[in-house]
Amino acid sequence: MQLSKLLQRAGVDLPSTFCECEIEDLIYDSRKAEPNTLFIAIRGAHADGHNYTRAAYKAGCRAFLCEEAVELPADAAQFLVGDTVAALADMSALFFGDPADHLKIIGVTGTKGKTTTSTLIYKVLNSCGRKAGLIGTIGVYIGDEVYPTVNTTPESYKLQKYFSLMVKEGIEYAVMEVSSQAYLNRRVHGLTFAYGVFTNISPDHIGPGECRDFEHYKECKAQLFQNSCISVINTDDPLANYFLSSAKGETITYGMKAPADYQGDQYKIWKESYRFGIQFTCLHNGQAFITKSATPGRYSIYNVLAVLSVCHHIGLPMEQIIALLPSLTVKGRFEIINTLPYCSIIIDFAHNEVSLMNVMKTIREYDPQRLVVLFGSVGNRSQLRRAAMAKVANELADFAVITSDNQNYEDPLHIIHDIEAAMDPDRCPYKVIPDRAEAVAWAVLNAHPGDVLLLAGKGHEDYELINGERLPFDEHKIIEETAPLAIGAKQI
C-alpha cells in the first residue's frame, strides 16, 4: 500500500519533499521490522517504541511514525502525529481494507461473564445459520481456524487483521470481548458496534498500567455504549443507570429484579445423572419462555438473558435459541467433563477468591457427596490472594489438592507454603502435589462416587507459565488419559 494513503488516514500533512513508496506491513515491534515496512513508535506501560527506532532502522526499516522526532540517519523518513496508538488503529483499518465496515460487530464488556456471554452468542448464531467469528480470552475463532490470544481484546492491528480474515471467510457477525484495556489503550479506536452488551461491574484492573481508579474503570467500560448502535444492559447491576445514560443509541434491558425487556423468573436447578444446570422462565413481550442452560449458577441466568436479548433482537426465533442452550458449553467456564460414570469433573478459570467462592457455592447447591477442589495461585502476584483462596477452600470444600498454577518466576513451593499457612486441615483435609499434571491425575484416580471434582485456575488455558515461557499443558488431555484407569476403581 502507498505510504501517502496510510499517512493521510493518520492525519499527517505530507511535506512538499515527500517521496512515495510502497509499504508491505505496519510494525510496532522493532524485532519484526524489515525493509518496506512502516514502524510506528508506541508508548506502552513498560516500554517506549521511540527507544527502539534505531533497532528498526538497522533491520532495514526507513519509514517511521512518531510522536516526537528521534535521532536517525538522514535516509530515514520521519512523520509526526500527536497519538501514534490511534494512528496505528486508523492505518491498520485502511491497510486491511476497512473490514469492520463489512461486519456486524457485537461487543461484550463487564467485569465477569464476558467470555461465557460472547461465546454463547457466537455458538447460537452459527448454530442458527448466521456465520459468526469470535474474539476473546479463549482465542480467535474464524471458520475452522483457531488463533491463540494474549490479550482479551487484541491490539488494533491484529484486530483488523482478524476482521479481514472473517470477511474473506464470508462471516457476517464478529462477536468479541471488549475489556477496559481495549479502550484504555485504544485497541478498538474507530470501531462502531452493532451491539454493545453490559454484564456487570465491580472493582478490577485498577493499578499501575491499568485504570487509575474505579471511576476511570467505569468510564472505560462506558465507551462501548457511546460507540454502539444498540446497547444491551443488565438492569440489576447497581450501576445500570450509569451505563444506560452512556448509551447513544437504542437500549435493550435484561435482568431478574428490576423491570426489563427480557426478564428472568422462577429460577431452579436441574440435575441429570452427573450433568447439571439451571432452568428459568424468560418473560418477553407478554410471553413466557421456559429456558434451560447447561451453565449452572444463578449468575449464569444473566449471561443467558444477555444471549437471548441479542440473538432474539437480531431476528432469531426465541424457541430456536432456547432449544440450543442446553447443549452449549464454554471451554474452561464451569465446563463439565463427562468422562467418569460415577462423579462429575468441572474445569473452571476461577483463580481468585471471588470467582472460586462463586463456583464452589454454585456446586454446593447441587448437594455433592463431596466437593473436592484442586487449586494453586499464580506466581509473582499478590500473596493475599493465596490466603483468601485457602479460606474459601476451608469454608466450602470437603477435600483440597494444592498444586501449581502459572508459577512463572516464583518457586512453586513458596506459593504452596503461603496457601498452606492459611489452610485448616480440621475443616478441609488436603494433599500437596506441586506438579499440576500429577495433581490432576491423582485427583481423578481418587475421586469417590458422587463427588464433584473442581479443577480451578486453568480453565481454557493450554499452557503453564514457567520462567516466562508458556509450556504446553492441557487438563482436558490429562483427564482423558487418566479416566480409563480410574473407572472401576471408585476409591483408593
Side-chain angles (χ1 to χ4, degrees), residues 14-32:
L14 301 181
S16 57
T17 57
F18 176 79
C19 183
E20 186 66 89
C21 67
E22 284 292 317
I23 295 297
E24 296 177 1
D25 205 355
L26 306 178
I27 300 298
Y28 48 96
D29 182 340
S30 62
R31 293 167 295 185
K32 298 179 181 178

Side-chain angles (χ1 to χ4, degrees), residues 187-492:
R187 295 171 189 163
V188 291
H189 171 79
L191 289 184
T192 297
F193 293 82
Y195 291 85
V197 182
F198 168 68
T199 60
N200 53 68
I201 191 166
S202 57
D204 199 6
H205 296 290
I206 297 169
E210 298 186 295
C211 298
R212 59 181 175 270
D213 52 32
F214 184 62
E215 189 65 29
H216 188 207
Y217 181 57
K218 278 194 326 183
E219 291 169 0
C220 288
K221 294 287 189 188
Q223 288 185 58
L224 173 61
F225 311 106
Q226 296 163 10
N227 292 282
S228 293
C229 299
I230 300 168
S231 295
V232 182
I233 307 294
N234 172 9
T235 54
D236 287 351
D237 190 89
L239 290 171
N241 287 335
Y242 172 82
F243 292 100
L244 284 167
S245 65
S246 300
K248 299 303 182 185
E250 178 185 349
T251 59
I252 301 170
T253 58
Y254 68 93
M256 295 184 68
K257 301 172 186 175
D261 298 315
Y262 293 82
Q263 188 137 19
D265 192 20
Q266 299 176 357
Y267 156 71
K268 66 179 183 179
I269 65 175
W270 63 266
K271 186 175 181 180
E272 297 171 0
S273 184
Y274 295 100
R275 293 178 62 246
F276 39 88
I278 53 166
Q279 180 178 304
F280 66 95
T281 301
C282 177
L283 305 174
H284 174 68
N285 279 349
Q287 292 183 282
F289 301 90
I290 305 300
T291 306
K292 198 173 182 180
S293 171
T295 307
R298 183 183 177 87
Y299 59 87
S300 297
I301 296 176
Y302 290 98
N303 298 334
V304 174
L305 284 170
V307 174
L308 291 172
S309 302
V310 172
C311 294
H312 185 241
H313 192 272
I314 282 172
L316 300 179
M318 198 69 135
E319 294 81 1
Q320 189 176 10
I321 304 169
I322 288 170
L324 286 167
L325 287 171
S327 63
L328 300 181
T329 59
V330 179
K331 185 177 182 181
R333 297 305 192 275
F334 215 116
E335 182 185 6
I336 300 174
I337 310 296
N338 296 310
T339 55
L340 297 181
Y342 51 86
C343 71
S344 299
I345 301 175
I346 296 170
I347 295 179
D348 193 84
F349 192 50
H351 57 283
N352 58 36
E353 176 189 11
V354 174
S355 56
L356 187 63
M357 181 178 293
N358 284 340
V359 71
M360 291 181 72
K361 282 186 175 180
T362 297
I363 293 171
R364 278 291 178 201
E365 291 183 10
Y366 293 84
D367 195 25
Q369 189 72 27
R370 289 193 314 165
L371 170 49
V372 179
V373 61
L374 178 148
F375 74 103
S377 190
V378 178
N380 305 111
R381 297 284 182 91
S382 171
Q383 294 183 0
L384 296 176
R385 176 186 291 185
R386 300 166 190 178
M389 293 179 73
K391 289 176 181 177
V392 172
N394 288 333
E395 179 183 346
L396 295 170
D398 296 298
F399 190 86
V401 180
I402 304 173
T403 187
S404 300
D405 184 355
N406 290 341
Q407 67 190 58
N408 204 1
Y409 293 101
E410 194 170 354
D411 185 339
L413 295 179
H414 289 167
I415 300 171
I416 289 170
H417 178 269
D418 290 339
I419 295 172
E420 273 197 279
M423 291 295 295
D424 181 352
D426 293 329
R427 297 179 64 186
C428 178
Y430 65 88
K431 184 176 181 65
V432 171
I433 306 177
D435 184 282
R436 191 172 181 107
E438 292 180 11
V440 171
W442 186 92
V444 172
L445 287 168
N446 287 273
H448 295 188
D451 280 358
V452 172
L453 169 58
L454 171 63
L455 307 182
K458 297 301 295 175
H460 63 282
E461 292 178 349
D462 58 2
Y463 64 86
E464 269 282 279
L465 184 61
I466 299 176
N467 295 325
E469 291 188 62
R470 293 190 174 199
L471 304 180
F473 179 88
D474 190 339
E475 287 184 335
H476 295 78
K477 290 182 179 178
I478 297 169
I479 295 169
E480 183 180 344
E481 293 168 355
T482 309
L485 303 175
I487 293 173
K490 293 181 177 57
Q491 62 182 4
I492 298 176

Side-chain angles (χ1 to χ4, degrees), residues 26-81:
L26 306 178
I27 300 298
Y28 48 96
D29 182 340
S30 62
R31 293 167 295 185
K32 298 179 181 178
E34 295 178 354
N36 302 319
T37 61
L38 170 62
F39 181 79
I40 300 98
I42 302 293
R43 284 194 170 96
H46 305 291
D48 185 348
H50 294 78
N51 297 328
Y52 295 90
T53 51
R54 176 70 67 169
Y57 178 89
K58 289 181 178 178
C61 182
R62 292 297 180 269
F64 298 83
L65 186 70
C66 305
E67 293 180 2
E68 61 183 33
V70 293
E71 186 176 338
L72 288 171
D75 62 337
Q78 292 188 49
F79 306 93
L80 301 183
V81 292

